[in-house]
Amino acid sequence: MKFAIIGGDMRQAKLAELLAEDGHEVSAFAMEKITLAQGVLQCASVKEAMDGAECVILPLPVIGKEGVLNTPLSRETHMLGEIFENVNDDQLLCAGRIDKNTAGLAEKSGIMLTDYFAREELAVSNAMVTAEGALQLIMEEMPISVCGAKCLVIGFGRIGKVLAHRLAGLRAQVTVSARKYSDIAWIKAWGYTPERTEKLNGRLGDYDIIVNTVPSRILNEEQLKQVKKGCLCLDLASKPGGMDFAAASKLGVKAVWALGLPGEVAPVTSGAIIRDTIYNILNEREEHM
Ligand code: NAP
């Protein structure tokens, strides 16, 4: 197959190289700040890159901070319109974390966009890498070993589950909080100490490490006042996050908000996760044809 990779960070760069390693024809555009491995054709225009490609892969997130295509590896600014002008009906156009504006623009242009970030397999695999990144941060930030440390994981979703298992594997004393009774039962079944997320207030003073995975404010000033001296409060949740960082700073609580860990700690694995997800999308498309 021919793939075109347009913009993105090191994850998309690695994705391009991995697709080429799999024997595909791969062209890339808006990554001129780096040199990609042999086998990836770095193009001077979107048109050249997309020409003849059966699958076009846009960044994750597709739109960057400036409201234009997310191209941190390019010196130029690129607009979505450039891509939409060059796409043809036979091409599969995939993008990550598609926002409302992008979806609206695509619809208006009669273009079908597939969000690879919305795929559960990608979210689960990302959770695995995020949990590893969290462990790395914990080890870097803490003067004590994980073995024996009293850890609270807030939330028992994808990241909460994997992180709890990893911490337990390192012989930490793991408590996990959740709001669903079924999750509480699973937390017990796995051998962790259960807590109710909504009842954490007044029960936070005993931990060496608290990791939040709930994308909603859980640790306000009142709760942060309760954590013991030296406790690391690590927030993994996307914006608006789960902790009041201004209050943490005022109280002298060691608080870290670590976002984008997959791309930061394991860009190659993150590229491979996107590649596998794209292959799954292509397989499903073929099955439905
Ligand atoms: P998830 O599977 O949806 O898990 C979220 C957990 O939070 C679930 O246990 C959910 O409980 C709980 N929850 C949600 N809202 C709640 C509320 N208002 N009160 C109490 N509990 C609540 O999500 P995930 O994949 O683990 O990701 C967690 C967060 O990390 C997300 O914000 C995600 O975007 C972010 N993330 C961060 C990184 C990084 O590098 N830091 C990487 C990937 C993802 P229920 O099941 O009861 O709803």
Side-chain angles (χ1 to χ4, degrees), residues 130 156-159 179-180 213-216 236 238 258-262:
T130 304
F156 198 56
R158 305 176 194 98
I159 297 176
R179 61 178 171 181
K180 290 200 294 257
T213 71
V214 172
S216 182
L236 300 177
S238 299
L259 294 179
L261 284 175

Side-chain angles (χ1 to χ4, degrees), residues 97 117 120 123-124 126-127 129-131 154-161 177-180 183 197-198 212-218 235-241 257-263:
R97 210 196 272 270
F117 188 72
E120 182 63 14
V124 170
N126 256 351
V129 185
T130 304
I154 304 175
F156 198 56
R158 305 176 194 98
I159 297 176
K161 284 187 181 80
S177 83
R179 61 178 171 181
K180 290 200 294 257
D183 281 344
T197 301
E198 64 277 25
N212 175 61
T213 71
V214 172
S216 182
R217 186 59 68 81
I218 302 291
D235 195 0
L236 300 177
S238 299
K239 285 171 193 159
W257 194 0
L259 294 179
L261 284 175

Side-chain angles (χ1 to χ4, degrees), residues 7-74:
D9 52 29
M10 285 311 290
R11 291 172 292 184
Q12 277 70 28
K14 293 297 167 195
L15 165 69
E17 293 178 349
L18 290 167
L19 288 167
E21 273 175 31
D22 281 352
H24 299 293
E25 195 183 330
V26 184
S27 55
F29 175 69
M31 291 191 182
E32 71 278 3
K33 278 192 196 166
I34 57 164
T35 304
L36 291 162
Q38 261 191 353
V40 180
L41 179 68
Q42 288 187 266
C43 299
S45 72
V46 181
K47 190 172 170 27
E48 184 192 352
M50 285 174 63
D51 193 32
E54 289 136 290
C55 179
V56 178
I57 305 173
L58 305 183
L60 166 62
V62 60
I63 296 296
K65 283 188 196 108
E66 305 79 13
V68 293
L69 193 70
N70 181 21
T71 57
L73 301 178
S74 174

Side-chain angles (χ1 to χ4, degrees), residues 59 61-72 76-83 99 102:
V62 60
I63 296 296
K65 283 188 196 108
E66 305 79 13
V68 293
L69 193 70
N70 181 21
T71 57
E76 313 286 332
T77 298
H78 300 282
M79 311 302 286
L80 262 180
E82 283 179 61
I83 293 140
D99 55 281
T102 303

Side-chain angles (χ1 to χ4, degrees), residues 10-286:
M10 285 311 290
R11 291 172 292 184
Q12 277 70 28
K14 293 297 167 195
L15 165 69
E17 293 178 349
L18 290 167
L19 288 167
E21 273 175 31
D22 281 352
H24 299 293
E25 195 183 330
V26 184
S27 55
F29 175 69
M31 291 191 182
E32 71 278 3
K33 278 192 196 166
I34 57 164
T35 304
L36 291 162
Q38 261 191 353
V40 180
L41 179 68
Q42 288 187 266
C43 299
S45 72
V46 181
K47 190 172 170 27
E48 184 192 352
M50 285 174 63
D51 193 32
E54 289 136 290
C55 179
V56 178
I57 305 173
L58 305 183
L60 166 62
V62 60
I63 296 296
K65 283 188 196 108
E66 305 79 13
V68 293
L69 193 70
N70 181 21
T71 57
L73 301 178
S74 174
R75 289 180 201 91
E76 313 286 332
T77 298
H78 300 282
M79 311 302 286
L80 262 180
E82 283 179 61
I83 293 140
F84 289 176
E85 274 165 27
N86 285 288
V87 73
N88 69 47
D89 288 347
D90 300 327
Q91 284 172 326
L92 171 66
L93 189 58
C94 296
R97 210 196 272 270
I98 298 170
D99 55 281
K100 270 193 192 144
N101 284 347
T102 303
L105 189 66
E107 201 183 337
K108 231 188 203 168
S109 316
I111 287 165
M112 164 102 172
L113 260 183
T114 302
D115 193 344
Y116 54 86
F117 188 72
R119 303 273 306 193
E120 182 63 14
E121 70 269 36
L122 186 135
V124 170
S125 303
N126 256 351
M128 176 273 288
V129 185
T130 304
E132 272 188 28
L135 280 179
Q136 180 180 326
L137 271 171
I138 289 168
M139 288 178 184
E140 282 167 4
E141 294 285 336
M142 291 302 283
I144 59 168
S145 67
V146 173
C147 178
K150 288 188 176 171
C151 301
L152 168 65
V153 177
I154 304 175
F156 198 56
R158 305 176 194 98
I159 297 176
K161 284 187 181 80
V162 183
L163 182 60
H165 294 345
R166 298 292 187 270
L167 287 167
L170 289 169
R171 302 291 181 263
Q173 298 180 55
V174 182
T175 298
V176 184
S177 83
R179 61 178 171 181
K180 290 200 294 257
Y181 292 119
S182 57
D183 281 344
I184 296 290
W186 275 112
I187 290 164
K188 284 184 193 163
W190 281 105
Y192 314 133
T193 304
E195 283 284 0
R196 300 295 305 273
T197 301
E198 64 277 25
K199 291 190 176 160
L200 283 173
N201 201 12
R203 303 175 63 81
L204 293 158
D206 205 24
Y207 299 104
D208 301 305
I209 298 157
I210 297 175
V211 185
N212 175 61
T213 71
V214 172
S216 182
R217 186 59 68 81
I218 302 291
L219 301 179
N220 285 311
E221 183 164 354
E222 189 190 347
Q223 288 76 33
L224 289 165
K225 272 185 187 158
Q226 299 161 23
V227 307
K228 82 174 179 194
K229 200 167 177 284
C231 170
L232 171 66
C233 293
L234 180 59
D235 195 0
L236 300 177
S238 299
K239 285 171 193 159
M243 292 183 196
D244 182 341
F245 284 90
S249 160
K250 193 173 89 182
L251 295 166
V253 171
K254 197 196 273 190
V256 178
W257 194 0
L259 294 179
L261 284 175
E264 203 173 297
V265 302
V268 177
T269 305
S270 297
I273 290 169
I274 298 172
R275 175 202 57 192
D276 293 346
T277 305
I278 298 285
Y279 284 166
N280 294 346
I281 293 169
L282 287 165
N283 280 339
E284 282 176 8
R285 226 166 89 109
E286 210 171 273

